[in-house]
Amino acid sequence: MLRMTGWEEKLDPNLRRMAERVVPGMRIALPVDYAGVSMAMTRPLIERGAGDLDLVCVPTGGLQVDMLIGAGLVRSVETSGLSLGEAGGAPRFNQAVKDGAIVIRDATCPAIHAGLMAAQKGNPFTPIRGLIGSDVLANRPDWKVIDNPFAAGSPADGPDPIVLIPAIHVDVAIFHAPMADRAGNVWIGRRRELAAMAYAARTTLVTVERIVEESLLADEITAAGVLPALYVSEVAVAERGAWPYGLWGEYGADTAELQRYAKAARSAEGFADYMRAGALEAAQ
Amino acid sequence: MLRMTGWEEKLDPNLRRMAERVVPGMRIALPVDYAGVSMAMTRPLIERGAGDLDLVCVPTGGLQVDMLIGAGLVRSVETSGLSLGEAGGAPRFNQAVKDGAIVIRDATCPAIHAGLMAAQKGNPFTPIRGLIGSDVLANRPDWKVIDNPFAAGSPADGPDPIVLIPAIHVDVAIFHAPMADRAGNVWIGRRRELAAMAYAARTTLVTVERIVEESLLADEITAAGVLPALYVSEVAVAERGAWPYGLWGEYGADTAELQRYAKAARSAEGFADYMRAGALEAAQ
Amino acid sequence: MIASVTPREILIATIARLLDGVHHVAVGASSPIPAAGAMLLRALKARAGAEPVRISILGSVEHNFFTNGSTELFDCAGQGRIDAFFLGGGQIDGQANINLVGAGDYPRSSVRWPGSFGSAYLYFVVPRVILFREEHTPRVFVEKVDFISAPGVSRPGIHRTGGPYALLTGKGLFAFDRARPGFRLESVHPGHSLGEIVEATGFAFAHDAAPPTTALPDPAILALLRGPVLDDLQETYPDFAAQMRREIAAAADAA
Amino acid sequence: MIASVTPREILIATIARLLDGVHHVAVGASSPIPAAGAMLLRALKARAGAEPVRISILGSVEHNFFTNGSTELFDCAGQGRIDAFFLGGGQIDGQANINLVGAGDYPRSSVRWPGSFGSAYLYFVVPRVILFREEHTPRVFVEKVDFISAPGVSRPGIHRTGGPYALLTGKGLFAFDRARPGFRLESVHPGHSLGEIVEATGFAFAHDAAPPTTALPDPAILALLRGPVLDDLQETYPDFAAQMRREIAAAADAA
């Protein structure tokens, strides 16, 4: 496991406290690059050091997942894709796959959404079309195929097989959003996969750009984009908390930084150096 | 079928044109009382006179459904409830049930949502817990029970039966919303069942209080509550178009008017008188 | 003055007691008595500095904490995030089956009620369902309902995390024993009797030879109910709150 | 000057042709050539006064017409509301199977690519899937993919409303025959040859003895592409648009 000492005490105490909610062996849901990744929580999670994590990418992953893998905290990743986008492949992930150091559960985006939907509805599964004949399905013994009981055709048409995705329940969902109010209502706008993650999670940890004083549920216009406090366990402010990713409607991605990481993290040593240097920078 | 002459030409030509999209035998989705009922479309639909309609209430119905039944346009109603709320039972519906004049498909709210969700996802069905042992299920031969293939228990626990609700596809969805923009994007706020109806519908007809000039997708705050134009077939302005129902964030329900209807519509004649009088009023 | 406690106040205080320990209770928009009970519990917990009680009032714009349309209540319950809910019924039988659809032969019911709403689902997944029906007559409390909107009990193997917890009427309070299964009369409201309840109930139920009288709210609870809780209630149920204030005044005059 | 048409312009114009007739096309945020083809089609239809073409650019904030999170693209496709989509692949084989996961033995792939994304679903439900991969080498176009992210064809009885329609590479254009099944070389891009394509393709495909050359855009289309379409493109793909302008200038100089 990556050891990074001398900077932990510089981390935001609120984020450190939130990271304590994560214990070894938990299943953690993390959002797609552009939906609001709480990059601010990455170092507190690494400092916390709770390992054997099973990550669920909703529905794909990037920098944060690569860093947690690089830090040795990850046991498995369920994802439909993992890369640094324009900055190329995810180096610590790719290495870990090659080394067999992590279990990879390849999925397809709508199957991850289907699993979360099942959890949201309290259902054991959600059906999904497609997938039949793919090696994605062939490598997922946890998914099942049944004959559609509503098949319309005549018996001569034969059965109509359909895949069932089991519910994805997670221990913790972690994401970043533009704002929250004092009651803990979080404004997620049209990034409704963040709500799906929270519905499916026992604990939801949110970092935000800012706290607003008026209730986000007080007027119908902002209420339409709110994840209610009912689903939110804790909120902490982390300005530019998605950096180097962007946050929709707030700021763009820092592609140069992603590329810098992509280059540095090609080796384990380069990754460790990057994390150390970045930590010092962050502490300044 | 109810004949009401002498006032049709007073109806808004845009609404009349929209009503022409409804042809006999269609399956129509209508929203719950408080979600945005396009009461403004009720008379144009009655004037249009397309009968043998199969109504799907999302997930319950009230005045509009009662009026369409009273006008003789309805073949069946799928609903989890039908009443005038505080104003009591739905008189034309109750009479039609007693007379066996319509087919009633009693459902439960989350089953209607499950059916729409299946249509939204392109799935043949969605599972749902509950229902087993109810006469709701016993009277729905179109619903099926399977043994949950993911049942966790030992074989000694026996099977884990679960209900599957088939997809509810509808020909037309009709509702009322606060505003739309010139591109046809409709602001539905947190009444997301309106989006579910539109996703499941081939044609979606919307009346709104007002048209706004700026794009509702242009800023993320309003975008969060938008049903995109992609799902909207036609929009027309109808001020106070939910009356005597209310429209969330805009105006409250006119309970006195609902009570007036409830009283009048106890008999077929009273209903016809009410509709005629109301039509004249509306035309003034 | 204990004598000035109104029947509705007894119902409200009883509901608050039945809800003790819940964190999130959902209430229908047209259910002011259950809502008042939940609000009273919330006020009691707030006064005691205990964990807050969350109340979702369905169909209300002002007290709507949901943002995902009318499906969210059911999803939320399916996730195990709703601890208590209230159901009524045109008919309720001794197995806690409820009928919200109609009397007589289905589907051409001689009396048609609005319909099952979410009961056929929520009764299975909300741990503490309180059956509440003020009218206590043999017409309502029948031997066997004509239509089961939602069954009171399920055979082993049926996935069920919720079900009936108690039945509160205008005459008394029953607990539901899921194992037996059946109702047991817990207490009789002031002014009513065991004999009257037996007479008014179409199904058999367990009871002590001399069941206790339903506990009246103590003066501190009554003060909370008549003060801040009634003010809370006024915002969502103004007509009901006004009616209660009139009843309280009338009871005080009579006492 | 026909000679000044750049290879990318040929690809873009070909894509516009392949998309003819669609009403709604979805494009990945990092797919500027498919996006440009869709924008060219949109401009052509607008010019002709035909039914408008809708383009959804995924992952873009400015051109995001979805409001229900990242699930909406898949729901929309499942509803039959997306007529065309583009897929690539680290490997593509003669049965139109695509591999977006990795080369070598799964799961410890010797080369790992990002993953299957939505392909295992969209390939089944989008009627006109265009396989697009500029690199045309035996490394990409293999006899059999090492991992099937999404299969090109399905046996009868499998619910499938979509699938491969064409394969466009830097060297040529293939149509896919779902019945046979297999690819057929439709045309060879200017500057390339049948022999070169046979050499660069690891799977067998049908072809004429002397396949035609891929059609060049006519001057009016080229003007549209270099004018308003490039301006549209600039908003979403500024780097790509700038690069294209440089290429066009260089081609003009050379001609």
Side-chain angles (χ1 to χ4, degrees):
Chain A
M1 195 176 302
L2 181 71
R3 298 262 25 113
M4 288 177 293
T5 51
W7 51 268
E8 290 89 339
E9 67 279 8
K10 310 281 174 41
L11 292 173
D12 183 312
N14 291 320
L15 304 191
R16 297 176 81 179
R17 197 187 61 244
M18 289 217 298
E20 279 169 25
R21 298 239 194 181
V22 176
V23 302
M26 273 188 165
R27 195 180 198 190
I28 314 285
L30 301 170
V32 60
D33 301 354
Y34 52 79
V37 179
S38 178
M39 284 306 302
M41 279 296 288
T42 311
R43 284 167 200 284
L45 286 169
I46 292 174
E47 181 211 16
R48 163 72 175 160
D52 281 337
L53 300 181
D54 297 311
L55 303 186
V56 178
C57 303
V58 182
T60 63
L63 182 62
Q64 184 171 49
V65 173
D66 204 60
M67 285 179 167
L68 294 174
I69 292 171
L73 299 178
V74 178
R75 174 168 59 191
S76 74
V77 180
E78 170 156 18
T79 191
S80 309
L82 197 55
S83 81
L84 302 177
E86 287 179 61
R92 301 330 298 152
F93 165 73
N94 288 353
Q95 187 65 48
V97 165
K98 209 171 288 179
D99 296 346
I102 58 167
V103 172
I104 166 80
R105 292 195 180 88
D106 270 290
T108 188
C109 305
I112 302 237
H113 294 307
L116 292 174
M117 179 59 72
Q120 174 179 334
K121 300 276 169 194
N123 280 331
F125 59 84
T126 302
I128 181 175
R129 287 300 192 182
L131 276 166
I132 291 168
S134 73
D135 286 332
V136 178
L137 176 62
N139 285 281
R140 291 301 299 256
D142 53 331
W143 295 354
K144 288 186 193 294
V145 181
I146 65 163
D147 290 332
N148 170 20
F150 295 92
S154 69
D157 295 340
D160 171 21
I162 184 166
V163 179
L164 306 183
I165 308 293
I168 298 177
H169 296 279
V170 300
D171 297 298
V172 182
I174 304 174
F175 64 82
H176 186 70
M179 56 184 159
D181 66 19
R182 295 273 166 208
N185 298 301
V186 176
W187 192 81
I188 59 168
R190 40 178 165 164
R191 301 271 34 119
R192 298 198 69 85
E193 59 267 61
L194 301 177
M197 285 166 56
Y199 297 151
R202 206 185 311 260
T203 297
T204 294
L205 307 177
V206 183
T207 55
V208 293
E209 293 293 316
R210 57 192 171 277
I211 302 282
V212 297
E213 294 303 324
E214 64 282 16
S215 167
L216 289 166
L217 290 177
D219 95 276
E220 289 293 318
I221 299 279
T222 54
V226 163
L227 173 69
L230 169 60
Y231 307 97
V232 178
S233 312
E234 211 162 332
V235 177
V237 171
E239 279 175 41
R240 295 188 73 80
W243 178 87
Y245 282 126
L247 185 62
W248 78 96
E250 301 273 332
Y251 45 88
D254 180 349
T255 309
E257 182 65 21
L258 287 164
Q259 280 161 341
R260 205 168 72 78
Y261 173 83
K263 199 172 162 189
R266 277 183 208 151
S267 70
E269 301 69 33
F271 169 73
D273 287 347
Y274 176 94
M275 295 303 286
R276 239 185 319 265
L280 290 173
E281 234 169 74
Q284 273 156 19
Chain B
M1 193 175 301
L2 181 69
R3 297 263 24 117
M4 289 178 291
T5 50
W7 50 269
E8 291 88 338
E9 67 279 9
K10 309 281 175 39
L11 291 172
D12 183 312
N14 291 321
L15 304 191
R16 296 176 84 180
R17 199 187 59 243
M18 289 216 299
E20 279 168 26
R21 299 238 194 182
V22 176
V23 301
M26 274 189 165
R27 195 179 197 191
I28 313 284
L30 301 170
V32 59
D33 301 353
Y34 53 78
V37 179
S38 179
M39 285 305 301
M41 279 295 289
T42 311
R43 283 168 200 283
L45 286 168
I46 292 174
E47 181 210 17
R48 163 72 175 158
D52 280 337
L53 300 181
D54 297 312
L55 303 185
V56 178
C57 302
V58 182
T60 62
L63 182 62
Q64 184 172 47
V65 173
D66 204 60
M67 285 179 168
L68 294 175
I69 291 171
L73 300 179
V74 178
R75 173 168 59 192
S76 74
V77 180
E78 169 155 18
T79 191
S80 308
L82 196 55
S83 80
L84 301 177
E86 286 180 61
R92 300 330 299 150
F93 165 72
N94 288 353
Q95 188 63 49
V97 165
K98 209 172 286 177
D99 295 346
I102 58 167
V103 172
I104 166 81
R105 292 195 179 87
D106 270 290
T108 187
C109 305
I112 302 238
H113 295 305
L116 291 175
M117 179 61 71
Q120 174 179 334
K121 301 274 170 196
N123 280 330
F125 59 83
T126 302
I128 182 174
R129 287 299 192 182
L131 275 166
I132 292 168
S134 73
D135 286 331
V136 179
L137 176 62
N139 286 282
R140 291 301 299 255
D142 53 329
W143 296 355
K144 289 186 191 292
V145 181
I146 65 163
D147 289 332
N148 170 20
F150 295 93
S154 68
D157 294 340
D160 171 21
I162 184 165
V163 178
L164 306 183
I165 308 293
I168 298 177
H169 295 279
V170 301
D171 296 297
V172 183
I174 305 173
F175 63 82
H176 185 71
M179 55 184 158
D181 65 19
R182 294 275 166 207
N185 298 300
V186 176
W187 191 80
I188 59 168
R190 39 179 166 163
R191 300 272 35 120
R192 298 198 68 85
E193 59 268 60
L194 300 177
M197 284 166 56
Y199 298 151
R202 208 185 310 259
T203 297
T204 294
L205 307 177
V206 183
T207 54
V208 293
E209 292 293 318
R210 57 192 170 277
I211 302 283
V212 297
E213 293 302 325
E214 64 282 16
S215 165
L216 289 165
L217 290 176
D219 96 275
E220 289 294 317
I221 299 281
T222 53
V226 163
L227 173 68
L230 169 61
Y231 306 98
V232 179
S233 312
E234 211 162 333
V235 177
V237 172
E239 277 175 43
R240 294 189 74 79
W243 179 87
Y245 282 127
L247 185 63
W248 77 97
E250 302 273 331
Y251 45 90
D254 181 349
T255 309
E257 182 64 22
L258 286 164
Q259 280 160 342
R260 205 169 71 79
Y261 173 83
K263 200 172 163 189
R266 276 184 210 151
S267 69
E269 300 69 34
F271 169 74
D273 287 346
Y274 176 94
M275 294 303 285
R276 238 186 318 266
L280 290 174
E281 233 170 74
Q284 272 156 20
Chain C
M1 293 295 289
I2 288 298
S4 74
V5 176
T6 73
R8 283 196 170 160
E9 287 175 322
I10 292 171
L11 294 177
I12 292 167
T14 304
I15 287 171
R17 240 180 10 253
L18 291 170
L19 291 176
D20 192 23
V22 309
H23 297 112
H24 184 192
V25 51
V27 188
S30 48
S31 302
I33 293 176
M39 287 172 177
L40 177 57
L41 177 75
R42 181 173 63 185
L44 285 164
K45 294 296 175 187
R47 199 183 58 176
E51 226 183 302
V53 173
R54 190 184 295 273
I55 306 174
S56 293
I57 299 176
L58 312 175
S60 139
V61 175
E62 301 81 39
H63 294 79
N64 176 5
F65 301 115
F66 291 141
T67 58
N68 197 27
S70 69
T71 195
E72 187 170 355
L73 165 70
F74 307 104
D75 292 357
C76 195
Q79 292 156 32
R81 295 185 203 262
I82 296 180
D83 305 310
F85 190 68
F86 298 86
L87 287 173
Q91 294 177 333
I92 298 173
D93 70 22
Q95 302 286 296
N97 296 313
I98 63 171
N99 175 3
L100 296 155
V101 160
D105 282 347
Y106 184 82
R108 294 181 63 172
S109 319
S110 53
V111 178
R112 169 78 203 194
W113 300 310
S116 302
F117 291 89
S119 65
Y121 179 75
L122 294 173
Y123 212 19
F124 284 78
V125 298
V126 176
R128 209 182 287 194
V129 176
I130 297 168
L131 300 174
F132 176 62
R133 182 77 208 243
E134 274 188 278
E135 177 186 338
H136 192 145
T137 63
R139 189 181 74 145
V140 172
F141 297 108
V142 296
E143 176 65 33
K144 174 128 191 38
V145 296
D146 291 341
F147 182 98
I148 301 176
S149 284
V153 291
S154 299
R155 64 171 170 74
I158 301 296
H159 179 90
R160 185 158 193 171
T161 54
Y165 178 75
L167 165 64
L168 181 64
T169 78
K171 298 186 192 293
L173 169 67
F174 299 79
F176 189 75
D177 177 356
R178 294 184 197 178
R180 186 156 50 93
F183 286 105
R184 176 186 172 79
L185 183 66
E186 291 287 300
S187 66
V188 177
H189 301 337
H192 301 279
S193 69
L194 172 61
E196 182 194 342
I197 290 179
V198 168
E199 187 78 15
T201 309
F203 55 78
F205 55 88
H207 59 82
D208 287 349
T213 299
T214 305
L216 297 184
D218 69 33
I221 291 179
L222 205 59
L224 205 58
L225 171 51
R226 291 180 176 182
V229 171
L230 212 47
D231 292 344
D232 280 357
L233 205 59
Q234 180 118 22
E235 290 177 27
T236 319
Y237 305 95
D239 293 351
F240 178 81
Q243 199 180 349
M244 273 206 54
R245 289 190 205 280
R246 282 194 300 274
E247 284 175 12
I248 292 163
D253 286 352
Chain D
M1 293 292 290
I2 289 298
S4 73
V5 177
T6 73
R8 283 193 172 162
E9 287 175 323
I10 293 171
L11 294 176
I12 292 167
T14 304
I15 287 171
R17 241 181 8 253
L18 291 170
L19 291 176
D20 192 24
V22 309
H23 297 112
H24 184 194
V25 50
V27 187
S30 48
S31 303
I33 292 175
M39 288 171 177
L40 176 57
L41 178 75
R42 182 173 61 186
L44 285 165
K45 293 296 176 188
R47 201 183 56 177
E51 228 185 300
V53 173
R54 191 184 295 272
I55 306 174
S56 293
I57 299 176
L58 312 174
S60 139
V61 175
E62 300 83 38
H63 295 79
N64 176 4
F65 302 115
F66 291 141
T67 59
N68 197 25
S70 69
T71 196
E72 188 171 354
L73 165 69
F74 307 105
D75 291 358
C76 195
Q79 292 157 31
R81 294 185 204 262
I82 296 181
D83 305 309
F85 190 67
F86 299 85
L87 287 173
Q91 295 177 332
I92 297 172
D93 71 21
Q95 302 286 296
N97 296 312
I98 63 171
N99 175 3
L100 295 156
V101 160
D105 281 347
Y106 184 83
R108 293 180 62 172
S109 319
S110 53
V111 178
R112 169 79 203 193
W113 300 310
S116 302
F117 291 89
S119 65
Y121 179 75
L122 293 174
Y123 212 19
F124 285 77
V125 298
V126 176
R128 209 182 288 193
V129 175
I130 296 169
L131 301 174
F132 175 62
R133 182 77 207 245
E134 273 188 279
E135 177 186 338
H136 192 144
T137 63
R139 191 181 75 146
V140 173
F141 297 107
V142 296
E143 177 65 33
K144 173 130 192 36
V145 295
D146 291 341
F147 182 99
I148 301 176
S149 283
V153 291
S154 300
R155 64 172 171 73
I158 301 296
H159 180 90
R160 186 159 193 171
T161 55
Y165 178 74
L167 165 63
L168 180 65
T169 79
K171 297 185 193 295
L173 168 67
F174 300 79
F176 189 74
D177 177 355
R178 295 182 197 179
R180 189 157 48 93
F183 287 105
R184 174 187 174 80
L185 183 65
E186 291 287 300
S187 65
V188 177
H189 300 337
H192 299 280
S193 69
L194 171 61
E196 182 194 342
I197 291 179
V198 168
E199 187 77 16
T201 309
F203 56 77
F205 55 88
H207 59 83
D208 287 348
T213 299
T214 304
L216 298 184
D218 69 34
I221 292 180
L222 205 59
L224 205 58
L225 172 51
R226 290 179 176 182
V229 172
L230 212 47
D231 291 344
D232 280 358
L233 205 59
Q234 179 119 21
E235 290 177 27
T236 318
Y237 305 95
D239 295 349
F240 178 81
Q243 200 180 345
M244 272 205 54
R245 288 190 206 279
R246 283 194 299 274
E247 285 175 13
I248 292 163
D253 287 352

